[in-house]
């Protein structure tokens, strides 16, 4: 993830021009990529532009786009305050030539850095299959806050997570009660919230916000990573075995042959 | 005819007749269309050919929300087989196989897949027998006929009705698991138990009996 982090912070120098690269997961679709956009900057509705065209109008903080299927290629992204006249003025954030490689699954997040300045971070989503019965959960720190711990049912499962890092776990499918605490303390910063970690899906949880506007969780779910059971067991007694009568049939047949043989022998003897 | 000749003829008749009768009275290993044909085909991945440069975007609130679970099936009834059995939601066993109720008179529903009536293949499976408990609820599966009607009722009392279109005995190693457990495509009800020759050294059957049913319109 170090590459990604570097790229993320490169974009974070606000209005950076240049090579953001989304690291491709192993190619699935031939020439498309799956991209979602999450808005995690409090109190700032925005318009999102891609290649000079408006992609999202009046995008509200705390909302997530549905997954977009985009042709692979390079995109110039720019984010303007939503109340600005279309395409005019200074962008709040901008990133040119964001490479969207074929087969990638990514989420571009507009959020605050730890010090409160706005930034764009592209995260690569792990869309590889999980074992049957399992779920994947990823937590991403995109809030203007220091290091945090993430707890499930009161037990820390991710410790010392800093902005804009992420951590991923694979767990049995279940519903958990999660909260976020300041690292190494029991001081709850966000939550608790019930999260359904559905089998064969990836649940991505973002901590976002700042001290003034408050902190919150945003949840993104990616499905279709399920695997099949290895098989279906189903019996231990052999009662349904339709070949179990075979030895008896064979015995009958042999007995028949013996009787026939004896008969033939007697016929031969009588003649002789 | 003298007794010796008669016994020779009768003996021969028995020697030939017993295996012939056995072969003729064995149940057919399959009925209806093949299982793979009865299950929905996997969807082809969409290409980029006709994509607009920028799609229409929809956004939604990303706040954590409670998931609404589909009602689980509670009972399966097949009058033609004399089957009326309770259904338990089951998952994955420690060995990675589908979990089944220990009680062979109960049937397991694979809770990670579709519920009966939802898109994809809803799987109900059960032990065919047990050394202590005897035959299981799905023992009659091997004699299922095309057109047999199956009713699955959920906990709220809502019923889905199905008609058998396929029955096939498939070697366990050759099961089309991705199709049997498909989560997309037209709704199908897939019933699975064990069958074929019993392998005492493994305390297990060689094959699975698979029955696929389509919704009754």
């Amino acid at each position: 993830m170090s590459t990604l982090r570097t790229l993320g912070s490169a974009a974070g120098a606000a209005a950076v021009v240049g090579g953001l690269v989304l690291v491709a997961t192993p190619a699935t679709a031939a020439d498309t990529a799956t991209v979602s956009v999450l808005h995690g900057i409090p109190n700032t509705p925005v318009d999102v532009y891609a290649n000079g065209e408006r992609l999202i109008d009046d995008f509200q903080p705390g909302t997530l786009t549905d997954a977009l299927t985009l042709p692979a290629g390079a995109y110039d992204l720019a984010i303007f305050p939503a109340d600005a006249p279309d395409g005019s003025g200074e962008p709040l954030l901008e990133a040119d030539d964001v490479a969207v490689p074929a087969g990638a699954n990514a989420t571009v997040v507009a959020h605050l850095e730890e010090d409160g300045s706005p930034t764009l971070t592209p995260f690569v989503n792990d869309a590889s299959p999980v074992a049957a019965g399992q779920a994947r959960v990823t937590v991403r720190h995109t809030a203007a806050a220091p290091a945090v711990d993430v707890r499930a049912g009161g037990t820390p499962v991710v410790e010392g997570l800093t902005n804009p890092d992420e951590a991923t776990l694979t767990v049995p499918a279940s519903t958990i009660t999660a909260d976020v605490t300041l690292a190494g303390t029991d001081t709850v910063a966000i939550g608790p919230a019930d999260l359904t970690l559905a089998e064969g899906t990836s649940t991505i949880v973002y901590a976002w916000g700042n001290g003034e506007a408050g902190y919150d969780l945003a949840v993104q779910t990616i499905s279709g990573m399920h695997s099949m059971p290895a098989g279906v067991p189903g019996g231990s007694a052999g009662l349904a075995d339709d070949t179990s009568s075979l030895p008896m049939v064979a015995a009958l047949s042999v007995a028949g042959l013996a009787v026939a043989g004896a008969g033939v022998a007697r016929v031969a003897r009588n003649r002789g | 005819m003298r007794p010796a000749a008669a016994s020779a003829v009768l003996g021969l008749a028995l020697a030939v007749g017993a295996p012939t009768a056995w072969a003729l009275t064995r149940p057919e290993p399959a009925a209806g269309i093949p299982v793979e044909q009865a299950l929905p085909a996997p969807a082809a991945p969409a290409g980029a050919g006709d994509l607009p440069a920028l799609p229409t975007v929809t956004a939604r609130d990303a706040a954590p929300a409670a998931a609404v679970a589909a009602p689980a099936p509670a009972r399966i009834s097949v009058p033609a087989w004399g089957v009326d059995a309770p259904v338990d939601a089951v998952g994955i066993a420690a060995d990675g196989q589908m979990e089944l109720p220990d009680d062979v008179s109960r049937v397991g529903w694979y809770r990670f897949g579709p519920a009966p009536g939802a898109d994809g293949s809803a799987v109900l499976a059960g032990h065919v027998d047990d050394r202590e408990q005897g035959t299981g609820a799905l023992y009659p599966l091997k004699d299922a006929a095309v057109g047999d009607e199956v009713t699955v009722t959920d906990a709220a009392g809502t019923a889905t009705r199905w008609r058998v279109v396929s029955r096939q005995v498939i070697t366990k190693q050759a099961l089309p698991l991705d199709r049997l457990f498909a989560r997309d495509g037209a709704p199908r009800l897939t019933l699975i138990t064990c069958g074929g020759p019993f392998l005492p050294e493994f305390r297990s059957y060689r094959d699975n009996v698979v029955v696929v049913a389509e919704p009754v319109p």
Side-chain angles (χ1 to χ4, degrees):
Chain A
M1 294 317 291
S2 64
T3 315
L4 181 62
R5 199 175 311 143
T6 315
L7 297 166
S9 20
V16 163
V17 177
L20 270 185
V21 176
L22 300 174
V23 181
T25 49
T28 46
D31 39 13
T32 64
T34 303
V35 178
S36 305
V37 187
L38 174 70
H39 187 352
I41 302 174
N43 300 328
T44 315
V46 297
D47 292 341
V48 179
Y49 285 74
N51 295 342
E53 286 186 60
R54 193 173 64 197
L55 180 65
I56 314 169
D57 186 26
D58 200 22
F59 194 28
Q60 295 293 324
T63 62
L64 170 75
T65 65
D66 293 322
L68 311 172
T69 303
L70 297 177
Y75 289 83
D76 295 342
L77 300 178
I79 294 178
F80 290 84
D83 52 5
D86 282 0
S88 70
E90 278 297 300
L92 196 62
L93 288 168
E94 120 183 280
D96 285 351
D97 288 327
V98 178
V100 178
N105 186 318
T107 305
V108 177
V109 186
H111 68 101
L112 299 178
E113 292 188 77
E114 181 173 343
D115 67 6
S117 50
T119 186
L120 269 181
T121 302
F123 289 97
V124 174
N125 303 321
D126 184 353
S128 62
V130 293
Q134 302 284 303
R136 181 179 290 127
V137 57
T138 298
V139 290
R140 292 174 176 164
H141 188 331
T142 58
V148 297
D149 293 343
V150 180
R151 305 191 302 182
T155 307
V157 289
V158 174
E159 297 182 90
L161 189 69
T162 55
N163 185 327
D165 287 355
E166 62 180 339
T168 296
L169 307 167
T170 303
V171 298
S174 56
T175 296
I176 61 165
T177 302
D179 62 9
V180 176
T181 62
L182 295 177
T185 74
D186 287 329
T187 309
V188 175
I190 316 178
D194 285 344
L195 299 175
T196 302
L197 310 179
E199 195 262 353
T201 70
S202 185
T203 302
I204 306 170
V205 184
Y206 300 84
W208 67 282
N210 61 14
E212 292 158 40
Y215 296 101
D216 229 326
L217 296 180
V219 179
Q220 175 182 10
T221 307
I222 304 173
S223 58
M225 278 94 82
H226 55 272
S227 301
M228 312 308 151
V232 183
S236 58
L239 302 176
D241 187 345
D242 53 17
T243 60
S244 58
S245 53
L246 201 51
M248 204 181 71
V249 172
L252 266 180
S253 188
V254 169
L257 277 178
V259 170
V264 168
R266 263 164 56 203
V267 168
R269 214 172 34 242
N270 290 349
R271 284 204 177 145
Chain B
M1 190 157 38
R2 285 177 298 175
S7 66
V9 170
L10 281 174
L12 271 179
L14 187 61
V16 176
T20 309
W22 177 79
L24 288 179
T25 55
R26 286 187 71 188
E28 288 291 317
I33 56 177
V35 159
E36 287 207 58
Q37 203 177 316
L39 291 165
D50 48 359
L51 278 181
L54 287 180
T56 313
V57 177
T58 49
R60 57 175 184 79
D61 189 357
V68 183
R75 202 155 193 96
I76 177 173
S77 140
V78 192
W81 314 338
V83 169
D84 183 18
V87 174
D88 299 331
V90 297
I92 292 286
D95 64 356
Q97 296 204 82
M98 180 178 167
E99 185 186 10
L100 294 182
D102 289 335
D103 181 346
V104 301
S105 68
R106 305 180 76 88
V107 175
W109 164 60
Y110 187 61
R111 70 176 193 270
F112 299 135
D119 276 357
S121 168
V123 178
L124 299 184
H127 288 294
V128 69
D129 60 17
D130 177 88
R131 271 167 302 153
E132 270 120 50
Q133 302 172 49
T135 58
L138 292 185
Y139 183 86
L141 213 55
K142 62 190 174 73
D143 299 317
V146 170
D148 285 350
E149 274 208 24
V150 181
T151 302
V152 178
T153 313
D154 69 23
T158 309
T160 51
R161 288 169 60 231
W162 307 83
R163 191 169 289 144
V164 172
V165 293
S166 171
R167 185 195 79 221
Q168 204 180 336
V169 176
I170 306 174
T171 309
K172 289 189 180 194
Q173 285 78 7
L175 273 189
L177 290 164
D178 57 335
R179 304 289 296 281
L180 297 177
F181 290 91
R183 299 194 192 180
D184 47 20
R188 292 288 183 274
L189 181 71
T190 301
L191 307 174
I192 306 176
T193 192
C194 272
F198 187 70
L199 310 173
E201 63 272 34
F202 299 112
R203 282 193 193 160
S204 167
Y205 290 87
R206 189 191 68 189
D207 306 328
N208 280 120
V209 181
V210 180
V211 166
V212 179
E214 289 182 356
V216 173

